[in-house]
Amino acid sequence: KKENIVLLDSRWTENRNIFFSLKIIQYLKDLKFIIAGYFPNINDKIKYINKINELNLNERVYIIENYIEEELDALYKKAKYFIRWSGRDESGPSLSIRKAISNFVIPIINDKLGDKDIIKNNISEELVVPFDEEKFIEIIEKIEGDPEFYENLLRKIENLIRVQNWDKYADDL
């Protein structure tokens, strides 16, 4: 059974501005957010943690760094949603997006990421949104409010897993 967890897994660089997540976290009060990854700029991490505390979000936001792969795998198995964005165009496949899909985690990404076509064409174009916090919030609210839509997304992910494998991922690289 999936938990009400939104997983964010990345290398939190300027391009992946972690502060973008704050409005999403503030608005979606029934969900926990796990921020996994690495902060190359320690000042960004400190500012982010301070902002989380200032907004009283620390009971729903967990930052996990220096984990072993098995710990990260366990998070993907529990999470219901995976969100990812980029402030600039990227091409090519994303290991974390593929990992989310392979663990039946609903991927919601912005339209600048390389895996956008796989998600649009095989799961739902609604899961690929502009670089806008409101759009991430809207699609999560839609899924949360419509269990049939959620189940349909899971069926589409299952179908995608049948045709998408590690050999295909290597070919995409």
Side-chain angles (χ1 to χ4, degrees), residues 6 13 19 33 38 50 52 55 59 63 70 82 102 107-108 117-119 131-132 137 143 148 165:
V6 179
T13 60
F19 295 94
F33 289 78
Y38 169 67
N50 288 340
I52 292 293
L55 296 170
E59 291 186 19
I63 296 174
E70 291 80 11
F82 173 86
S102 70
I108 303 166
D117 291 331
I118 286 175
I119 293 170
F131 190 57
D132 177 347
I137 292 167
I143 297 167
E148 191 174 308
N165 58 38

Side-chain angles (χ1 to χ4, degrees), residues 16 84 89-95 97-98 109 112-118 169 172-173:
R16 296 234 190 277
R84 167 67 74 82
D89 287 331
E90 296 182 11
S91 61
S94 161
L95 179 59
I97 292 171
R98 305 290 173 105
I109 66 171
K112 296 202 177 275
L113 295 172
D115 277 330
K116 65 183 171 284
D117 291 331
I118 286 175
Y169 178 76
D172 288 348
L173 291 174

Side-chain angles (χ1 to χ4, degrees), residues 19 22 46-57:
F19 295 94
L22 289 172
I46 292 166
K47 286 178 193 173
Y48 186 73
I49 291 170
N50 288 340
K51 196 67 175 170
I52 292 293
N53 291 330
E54 178 186 318
L55 296 170
N56 294 317
L57 300 173

